[in-house]
Amino acid sequence: MIPEGAGVAGQGRRALLAGLAFAVTALAIYALFHSGFGRPHPPSAGSSYVPPPPLKAPSGSGAAAAARAGAPLAVVSDDLWLTYLPRGLRRSGGGPVAPDGVRARYGTAKRYVEAQVEHGTVAADWDTYRAHAGVLDPRETTIRGRPAVVGAHPRGGRVIAWLERPGTGAWIRVSDSLGDELLPIAASARAPVGD
């Protein structure tokens, strides 16, 4: 038989420990939020990359949607746009690409960014699109959580290719002078589905 009052003392200790655990947890959470942990910090003085401003996906399609958004967009196609381009680059070419793709080019012959979106069987899955992309000296990586391959482009410059989603692949090529900007440009890519 348990003496009278012994059960209450045990419950009191458990309640005290639960309250103490709650207080320690609350203090730890407060300390994390107050410390700035996880907040983006301004780039260091030697960094050449300046992150793009936050951007909402434009409604509608094409260049008209980009103009309405009022943000510095580089529209590649109706379903892919870039929110970051190095300064001084203007659209200098592009258009439909056979069999079912669209290409956009920004810049000059010596300093350029070229982006292409391809649809259909060439981008049915990652293995098919990876073989189609034809990247020289490929190195596996990820971009925006998607498998990607980065390397040299057969016509010069650096290139990254990835499967945006089954049926849609994309690649971005930059001149050698913009090689350090390749990953920030690719990371800025946005699509209406999956971002």
Side-chain angles (χ1 to χ4, degrees):
M1 177 149 203
I2 301 174
E4 198 173 312
V8 173
Q11 288 178 348
R13 278 188 234 131
R14 284 193 297 266
L16 180 63
L17 286 175
L20 185 60
F22 177 77
V24 168
T25 302
L27 184 62
I29 291 171
Y30 174 78
L32 276 174
F33 280 103
H34 187 69
S35 72
F37 178 77
R39 290 185 194 150
H41 298 285
S44 62
S47 174
S48 64
Y49 172 64
V50 176
L55 176 69
K56 293 182 180 178
S59 60
S61 63
R68 282 193 307 273
L73 291 180
V75 177
V76 178
S77 71
D78 287 345
D79 59 356
L80 188 82
W81 57 92
L82 305 174
T83 60
Y84 168 71
L85 276 179
R87 289 196 170 132
L89 296 181
R90 301 283 180 254
R91 181 111 183 202
S92 59
V97 177
D100 191 14
V102 177
R103 180 178 298 165
R105 185 178 173 94
Y106 302 87
T108 64
K110 293 184 179 185
R111 186 174 183 266
Y112 61 84
V113 172
E114 194 173 78
Q116 184 165 315
V117 178
E118 298 172 290
H119 301 284
T121 57
V122 298
D125 57 46
W126 173 235
D127 291 332
T128 304
Y129 192 66
R130 186 183 187 288
H132 170 76
V135 177
L136 304 176
D137 302 322
R139 195 175 78 233
E140 298 292 327
T141 188
T142 59
I143 195 73
R144 298 171 32 254
R146 293 158 175 86
V149 63
V150 65
H153 192 276
R155 294 181 317 191
R158 305 286 300 155
V159 65
I160 186 168
W162 71 93
L163 191 69
E164 184 63 31
R165 61 185 161 271
T168 302
W171 58 257
I172 296 175
R173 172 185 171 210
V174 298
S175 60
D176 288 326
S177 62
L178 293 174
D180 290 344
E181 302 286 351
L182 178 61
L183 293 180
I185 294 168
S188 81
R190 296 292 177 262
V193 177
D195 273 341

